[in-house]
Amino acid sequence: MPTLDDFDDDLFAAVQQVTVTTSDSDYIDQLVPLIKLARNSDRSPQLVRTLWEISHQRESEIEKICNSNHQEFVSSVNQLLRVREGTVNLGSEILTLNQSIQTSTEKLANQKKALVDSRSVRQNIDETTTALNACLDVLRLSNQVHELLAKKRHYAALRALDELRDVHLKEVGRYKIAEMIEKSVPATHRLIAEAVMTDLNTWLYRIREASQYLGEVAFYHTEMRRTRMRERVEKEEFMGKFKLNSAVELVADETDEFDILNNEETETQVDFSPLFECMHIHETLGRTDQFKIEYAATRRRQKELLIPTTLDLLDEDEANLSSLLESITGFAIVERATMAKTHNFRAAVDVDELWESMCQSAITLISNALPKVDSDEKLLKIKGRIALFIQTMGSWNYNVSSLNSLVLTIFAKYAQLLKYRFSEDFQEIVSTDDYMPMPINSLDEYDKVVNVSWYTPDTRREELIFPCVLPFSQMYPLCCIDIRNFLNQIYQFSDENFQHSNVIDETLMTSLDDLLCENVCQSLVERLSSQYPGQIVQILTNLEHFEHACEELQTLLFQARSSSSASAPVVLRAKEQFAAGRKTAEKRIFELVNSKIDDLIDTAEYDWQVSASSYMQELTRYLHNNMSSVMLGLPTDLKELVYFDALSHAANSVLELALDDHVQRISPAAIRLLNNDVQYLSAFVDTLDNPILKENLDELIQTVALMQTDNPDEFFDVGQANRKYGRVDRQNGAALLEKYVQTQKDNTFANYASRFGLNRS
């Protein structure tokens, strides 16, 4: 380690080096660093001492030189004095400079200390600035999150918040602001979730408001599919076997793409971006399950808002019903589309539950409003809207079984209203008919009647001469028209998506049977109480044609049967009813004819003692006129049957006159008159050219012949009686012979008494 002496030697050498400098400026330049060095090392006294030592050394050297060279010495002394003076002055300057240097050094030290202090402050300021900048970045990002929320860029806000929390907050983790922002992150998450839910609710509200129009577009699309399907059926008949929404129809309709949710033609556009964004944000926040629950609850509330409290089915164009069904359709389509566009978000069971709930609400509203509907046409329109609804939702794979049951209920009411309306029509037709053969004045009129009636004319169309009459009265073609209209309107109900075709067939057959039996057949049978044979004959003719119409209807109903699986033949109860009514009418005709015969025979004034009656001419005239006018419309076999029964009744009635208990005796004159009447009646029957009718008079003719025989005993001979009087009743013949014989005895006694003046008592 160097000692103080070492430092003095160095200082001495340095001072010597300074003193040998030839220039004042160099002297000062070399002296200043030496002074600084001495001052810095606290050797200023040593420097002064060294300077003095050198000065004394120099003086010694000078004095030595001067001793040898006095003059030179003197000169040197003077010079030295001057040097010394300069040295003193220089020492003063040095001291002054030292003081100045010391002052500058202190100042410099103070400045250095200030500089050091300023550097520390500057470093602190730099660190603070860096921290402030980092904090400002954090604040800027935090504000940016809220700005993005204000701009509804929710996902970007969430990403910015995640970046703020995961990256930037770590950079300023030692500052209080990081803790504050970290604590605000959950609240910001909630703000983002609430904001995105607000936007989603706004979207859901718009979707709900647009549901009706979306349903209207869906109905329009279904109508277009119906139109295309009808065109295919017109081109290829086998396509008629397939219904809308069947696999064949769906394949055939693949070329006609129609996106209900996004379609420029109908100006529909359902953007699911808000839903996707909301799902993504909640998934990022780890709140997917909670979001699913909230979304499902919101959709349930919206479903309730779609359903009105009441429904009016009587408004024009079914606007209320259409609005309800379209809203439900749009709502359900959005649900199906949500399932298709998302994964494991909307459970199928939840969507189906919503659908069933809406269906049940709609069914309840419609069912409650149905009793007020009293028009079958209105019901048909209502069913048409519901059928369109069913077909539309069927294409979205919704269960429509409950709606099919509703359609079945509507059909039951529709059939009931139709039955009631046609019942009134049938009753009016039956009650206002004139029950006269229907006159036809032209070929067009004839064609119209034949086309609507189940009637096969006997005369060819080309051979007709107008005016002419048809066998039935006007009520028959009018009823046929109503029957055809009833069939068409019933089948019209099944045109669109009616799943219960067997119900159509059964209801149609039952209703038609009831209408024909109760409103036509029964009304006609009730009118058989009329006393006018012509009306009875016309009713009989109408009944026959209705019976034939029932046969045609059975064939028609079997061919038009909606249910292809049914193979049993169609049997109308009305056919038997009309057949029974026809027989009743026939009996009524027999009753009227026989009643008239009875009335005519009751006018007979036979005096069985001496006189005879001529009523037979009136009876035969009645039969002839009645059969040629009133009974003209009857079929030939029935007309012959009426003749047969009338003649049989007349023969029996004539016999009853003679067999009456009040007739005790029959005179030969009365027998002759009776024989004349029987012969007259027999001649009348001969004109009818029907041997069977003549057989009805066999008993009467043989009985009169028996009463005229001269040998009554022949009747009691079995062999002769069977040969000559085989048709005569044994008891009746015996009674009549007794009355004739008694008359003969009375006449014999009367002749004997008159000859001998005797009285019979």
Side-chain angles (χ1 to χ4, degrees), residues 286-314:
R287 302 176 59 189
T288 300
D289 292 338
Q290 182 180 354
F291 173 58
K292 288 181 181 179
I293 296 173
E294 291 178 0
Y295 183 85
T298 302
R299 291 300 279 170
R300 281 193 295 271
R301 289 193 296 271
Q302 288 191 326
K303 180 266 296 183
E304 296 297 334
L305 295 175
L306 285 178
I307 308 300
T309 55
T310 58
L311 182 65
D312 182 15
L313 294 179
L314 301 179

Side-chain angles (χ1 to χ4, degrees), residues 703-720:
T703 301
V704 173
L706 174 62
M707 294 171 64
Q708 290 179 314
T709 183
D710 295 333
N711 186 9
D713 294 335
E714 292 178 346
F715 183 70
F716 300 101
D717 185 335
V718 177
Q720 294 186 10

Side-chain angles (χ1 to χ4, degrees), residues 7-16 19 34 43-58:
F7 286 111
D8 291 341
D9 291 340
D10 294 338
L11 186 63
F12 184 81
V15 172
Q16 284 184 339
T19 57
L34 186 61
R43 296 169 61 189
S44 298
Q46 290 86 341
L47 177 61
V48 172
R49 187 174 64 248
T50 301
L51 289 174
W52 278 111
E53 289 178 355
I54 292 174
S55 175
H56 285 297
Q57 184 180 5
R58 292 296 182 184

Side-chain angles (χ1 to χ4, degrees), residues 384-564:
R385 299 305 297 173
I386 296 176
L388 183 62
F389 176 55
I390 290 174
Q391 289 180 328
T392 301
M393 301 319 295
S395 64
W396 288 88
N397 297 323
Y398 279 106
N399 183 7
V400 294
S401 58
S402 57
L403 294 171
N404 286 327
S405 299
L406 173 64
V407 174
L408 190 60
T409 302
I410 295 175
F411 173 71
K413 183 173 180 61
Y414 175 77
Q416 181 182 2
L417 289 178
L418 273 183
K419 183 179 177 181
Y420 177 77
R421 179 163 66 85
F422 279 94
S423 173
E424 291 184 337
D425 290 347
F426 280 129
Q427 288 178 354
E428 182 179 0
I429 290 171
V430 173
S431 62
T432 57
D433 191 48
D434 58 2
Y435 292 98
M436 296 291 291
M438 185 176 182
I440 301 296
N441 298 315
S442 66
L443 188 60
D444 290 340
E445 185 179 353
Y446 173 83
D447 290 337
K448 291 179 182 179
V449 172
V450 172
N451 289 334
V452 299
S453 305
W454 286 279
Y455 169 63
T456 304
D458 297 330
T459 306
R460 290 190 302 177
R461 182 173 178 273
E462 297 80 9
E463 298 176 356
L464 291 172
I465 300 175
F466 298 98
C468 65
V469 293
L470 297 179
F472 43 77
S473 63
Q474 190 174 4
M475 69 157 290
Y476 176 68
L478 292 178
C479 286
C480 289
I481 292 174
D482 266 7
I483 291 172
R484 292 182 185 274
N485 289 338
F486 181 75
L487 296 177
N488 291 335
Q489 292 189 37
I490 288 289
Y491 282 124
Q492 189 176 359
F493 194 94
S494 65
D495 284 349
E496 299 292 345
N497 195 49
F498 190 71
Q499 302 295 328
H500 306 277
S501 56
N502 58 324
V503 176
I504 289 278
D505 298 330
E506 293 174 3
T507 303
L508 175 58
M509 189 171 67
T510 303
S511 300
L512 185 59
D513 245 348
D514 292 342
L515 287 172
L516 293 176
C517 291
E518 297 173 7
N519 300 109
V520 179
C521 184
Q522 186 174 346
S523 298
L524 290 176
V525 171
E526 289 174 356
R527 293 183 176 276
L528 292 177
S529 60
S530 172
Q531 297 298 322
Y532 300 101
Q535 185 175 1
I536 304 301
V537 171
Q538 190 59 61
I539 291 175
L540 173 63
T541 303
N542 291 349
L543 287 169
E544 286 183 336
H545 283 86
F546 276 115
E547 185 180 358
H548 173 70
C550 287
E551 295 178 356
E552 297 291 338
L553 277 172
Q554 289 178 165
T555 303
L556 178 63
L557 291 176
F558 181 80
Q559 295 174 349
R561 180 175 282 173
S562 303
S563 178
S564 58

